[in-house]
Amino acid sequence: AGAQQDFMLAHAAELVRLCAAAAGAAGRCRYCWLPKAAACCCGRLPDAGPSCPEIRWVLLCHPQEFLRSTSSGKLVARLLGGELLVYGVPSHMRRLADVLADPKLRGLFPA
């Protein structure tokens, strides 16, 4: 499992790009991976972000978690009006560095 995780981190940007493109080509939502026309619920999710305007949500996930159809993290980020960052994607890593440099940062690490 360790070698697979290392591969996923090393190739995170390409994996995310390919999977998002494949989902689009197959008519699937890139957040919930369900067929857009028949089962996607993302457009019906309430936007909870305005209820706490002083909180800026940023969700960091592993590429393996992003690629799972059972990953609820993608939906949580969308529901909260936050950002979803995938660890290992260069542009996401730059954004993560900016987020971590914010002195008002409060981290939540679910276990």
Side-chain angles (χ1 to χ4, degrees):
Q4 180 185 10
Q5 288 179 351
D6 292 344
F7 175 84
M8 294 192 84
L9 287 176
H11 299 89
E14 188 65 11
L15 287 168
V16 168
R17 187 189 68 72
L18 288 171
C19 289
R28 294 183 173 270
C29 173
R30 67 184 205 115
Y31 289 97
C32 66
W33 301 115
L34 295 172
K36 285 184 180 180
C40 175
C41 65
C42 293
R44 294 187 299 270
L45 290 174
D47 184 1
S51 64
C52 296
E54 67 280 356
I55 298 175
R56 186 181 76 226
W57 296 99
V58 179
L59 180 77
L60 176 66
C61 73
H62 187 281
Q64 191 171 21
E65 180 67 15
F66 176 80
L67 299 174
R68 286 189 181 129
S69 63
T70 57
S71 172
S72 59
K74 294 176 288 202
L75 297 176
V76 168
R78 189 170 175 109
L79 177 70
L80 295 174
E83 295 177 72
L84 175 67
L85 303 178
V86 179
Y87 192 86
V89 175
S91 61
H92 293 199
M93 297 305 291
R94 288 188 295 274
R95 177 66 184 124
L96 178 61
D98 291 342
V99 168
L100 294 175
D102 184 344
K104 296 185 288 181
L105 171 74
R106 300 295 181 265
L108 173 64
F109 300 95

